[in-house]
Amino acid sequence: MSLSEDADPSDQRAAARPAATNAQPTRVTFNRLELHRILNLYGRMVADGEWRDYAIDFLRDRAMFSVFRRASEVPIYRIEKDPRLARKQGMYSVISATGLILRRGHELERVLLVIDRKLAVV
């Protein structure tokens, strides 16, 4: 195979590769609305001085949003989305630092109520 001076060699290598190697493994992610709701809660808790750091993990079987009081600790809460549980208990869950499932359900809004402190009217 000869290369012309105008041809990009990486294009030819990409064309020679089988299509299966280009396929990325599917990952579970939070959609825009879910992430907006989670980050809104996170921002309010940071403003209150309760939370300091977070991590997002998109794994093959679930997506996790971990919340930390300090960056060097274990997460105090994990908000998980596991689509395999969508027809059972619900795909959303809030898990404490000890591994206890605080709430699980089909709607993210209702699941986050376990850690979302609203202003109380006194």
Side-chain angles (χ1 to χ4, degrees), residues 1-77:
M1 175 179 0
S2 65
L3 292 174
S4 68
E5 291 181 24
D6 296 333
D8 184 9
S10 61
D11 290 340
Q12 292 179 353
R13 280 182 292 192
R17 253 185 264 139
T21 59
N22 289 339
Q24 293 280 336
T26 59
R27 302 223 182 262
V28 177
T29 61
F30 292 109
N31 65 33
R32 181 183 295 254
L33 294 175
E34 294 164 342
L35 203 53
H36 176 70
R37 175 63 180 103
I38 293 169
L39 289 173
N40 188 17
L41 170 63
Y42 175 77
R44 281 189 280 122
M45 296 302 258
V46 166
D48 289 345
E50 304 239 351
W51 296 351
R52 302 252 169 151
D53 200 6
Y54 72 91
I56 301 177
D57 296 309
F58 298 128
L59 305 174
R60 218 171 242 192
D61 60 338
R62 67 182 182 256
M64 291 188 307
F65 186 95
S66 303
V67 177
F68 299 87
R69 194 175 311 266
R70 289 180 204 84
S72 62
E73 294 182 347
V74 296
I76 54 176
Y77 295 112

